[in-house]
Amino acid sequence: MRIFSGIQPTGQKHLGNYIGAIVQYVEGQQRAADAGDVAIFCVVDLHAMTVPWEPDEMRARVYDTAAILLAAGLDPDRCIFIRQSDVHEHTELAWHLGAVTAHGDLNRMHQFKEKSARQRDLVSADLFFYPVLMAADVLAYRANEVPVGDDQRQHVELMRDVAQRFNDRFGEQLVVPELKIPSVGARIMDLQDPTSKMSTTGGSVEGTVYVLDDAKTVEKKFKRAVTDSEDPPRIARDPSKPGVSNLIDILAAARGITPEQVEESLADARGYGDLKIATADAVNALLEPVRERYSALRADEDALEAIFAAGAEKARAITSETLRDVRAATGVGPRT
Ligand code: TYM
């Protein structure tokens, strides 16, 4: 049971990233170790080059993200924690996989369509190739499981197709990985516009709860969350009630209970205020320890570099074997 997941470098990691992905990473790190295998987590700086970026800020954003993940509970002694650009096999494998990836399939990717529509100056070839590098990230480790939020579903499905196509053409070299999406919280919505997902780029600051927001800000954002005007107010998950449903999901995920248990626990609530306050409290209880640990971790960049260096070495022990097999199978490179 080998697990791989990746996350983009930004200091603006939000509650969607936290509940949809980071909580699963921490759980996966333990599950993989219990099964005698390993989980690999990767800060994907090369993917961050697919939309405009500031070279002066890139490294700082990688440190921000690394410190958030370590503060959340990733332990570099129990998992492999890497910066994508440190392990060159990711980009090399991406080129091999590109040879069996259909241009038309990349053209159909929702995220490519959304992100390319937002670019004013240049839609780069890297943005188009993004899903192939993402496939390489996972396939280089022959990982079995990819924990992500719902928005990455299509990318993981493509990755499975690419692995299958590679194996059909060159023999069983790669593992076709499984998608792992949380049962609650796979798609956390914007608090101000609960029909859109919470996101770093698309949403509003008021509707997005950042992992590093202080407790007061978190409370204010939840108190102002958009609900509905049903009279009397009904605390229930329902497609016609996206705001309330989102709060129920967040509360359930933050407390580690089911949405049904949330609905039962708030059956006597007088209005949506109780739901908003309970959710804000649960989210603060979840994030407070992360915020507390973050500052010390972020302050020591040398220590973060040392963690990445050690992670890259452990990673290469796995990826160099995969690439050796892949090169032999594709006939590229020297005789083995
Ligand atoms: P990124 O950095 O955009 O997001 C990191 C993780 O957060 C999840 N997520 C959400 N989950 C629930 N609700 C939301 N509103 C929400 N918003 C984001 C994402 O699904 C993701 O799991 N392409 C990836 C990074 C990547 C990767 C990989 C992931 C690169 N290589 C290999 C897995 C395996 C991304 O942009 O994540």
Side-chain angles (χ1 to χ4, degrees):
M1 169 50 57
R2 188 168 295 171
I3 295 174
F4 183 100
S5 201
I7 189 162
Q8 300 237 25
T10 151
Q12 305 278 304
K13 285 294 149 195
H14 53 71
L15 191 59
N17 301 130
Y18 200 84
I19 290 176
I22 298 173
V23 170
Q24 294 200 83
Y25 301 170
V26 178
E27 179 272 328
Q29 150 180 274
Q30 190 57 45
R31 200 155 40 79
D34 289 346
D37 209 315
V38 71
I40 304 103
F41 300 105
C42 180
V43 183
V44 294
D45 53 349
L46 298 174
H47 276 118
M49 298 172 68
T50 58
V51 290
W53 82 99
E54 287 302 326
D56 294 348
E57 290 178 10
M58 175 69 96
R59 223 162 265 119
R61 298 293 87 83
V62 170
Y63 295 144
D64 294 346
T65 309
I68 290 177
L69 293 175
L70 297 170
L74 289 191
D75 174 354
D77 291 330
R78 280 194 296 156
C79 69
I80 299 180
F81 186 59
I82 54 168
R83 171 171 49 203
Q84 188 183 34
S85 60
D86 292 342
V87 186
H88 297 171
E89 285 82 358
H90 292 225
T91 39
E92 186 181 347
L93 182 58
W95 194 256
H96 286 266
L97 297 177
V100 294
T101 305
H103 180 279
D105 287 346
L106 295 180
N107 234 346
R108 274 190 284 281
M109 293 291 114
H110 306 309
Q111 290 215 338
F112 174 68
K113 288 187 199 158
E114 284 161 25
K115 288 186 182 174
S116 57
R118 256 188 264 136
Q119 301 314 313
R120 288 211 203 103
D121 300 329
L122 174 78
V123 176
S124 70
D126 279 352
L127 183 62
F128 188 69
F129 209 61
Y130 181 118
V132 183
L133 178 59
M134 180 164 159
D137 291 338
V138 175
L139 302 180
Y141 297 85
R142 295 175 164 137
N144 310 97
E145 194 179 287
V146 190
V148 284
D150 186 67
D151 62 343
Q152 297 300 316
R153 185 186 288 273
Q154 196 188 29
H155 283 158
V156 175
E157 277 161 11
L158 178 89
M159 165 191 309
R160 288 168 49 82
D161 287 348
V162 168
Q164 196 57 63
R165 211 170 301 141
F166 190 94
N167 286 348
D168 290 348
R169 170 91 170 79
F170 299 110
E172 291 295 312
Q173 306 298 336
L174 302 172
V175 170
V176 180
E178 301 291 333
L179 171 77
K180 185 157 183 297
I181 286 191
S183 52
V184 182
R187 198 171 179 80
I188 300 294
M189 309 306 272
D190 189 285
L191 300 186
Q192 287 299 315
D193 173 12
T195 57
S196 310
K197 71 166 185 179
M198 192 176 280
S199 85
T200 325
T201 40
S204 59
V205 173
E206 300 76 39
T208 309
V209 175
Y210 299 103
V211 174
L212 300 178
D213 274 346
D214 60 46
K216 280 242 155 342
T217 306
V218 170
E219 200 182 305
K220 201 158 66 188
K221 287 179 177 177
F222 277 107
K223 279 188 176 159
R224 290 186 188 157
V226 168
T227 48
D228 56 59
S229 50
E230 191 171 348
D231 192 19
R234 190 165 54 94
I235 297 181
R237 286 197 306 170
D238 189 312
S240 68
K241 297 165 71 67
V244 170
S245 303
N246 190 37
L247 292 175
I248 293 173
D249 277 354
I250 294 172
L251 179 51
R255 282 207 192 139
I257 58 176
T258 65
E260 291 75 20
Q261 286 170 318
V262 169
E263 289 168 355
E264 279 163 28
S265 74
L266 286 165
D268 300 330
R270 292 174 306 278
Y272 296 137
D274 291 357
L275 172 63
K276 291 179 179 182
I277 288 168
T279 310
D281 288 349
V283 167
N284 272 327
L286 184 71
L287 298 182
E288 192 55 45
V290 183
R291 294 191 287 252
E292 274 171 19
R293 287 191 287 261
Y294 174 80
S295 310
L297 288 160
R298 177 64 184 86
D300 195 346
E301 295 183 354
D302 289 347
L304 295 173
E305 284 294 349
I307 288 171
F308 279 142
E313 204 173 314
K314 286 197 268 176
R316 264 185 238 118
I318 301 174
T319 57
S320 60
E321 279 192 16
T322 311
L323 266 293
R324 186 199 57 208
D325 296 346
V326 163
R327 282 187 215 111
T330 54
V332 168
R335 277 180 308 190
T336 44

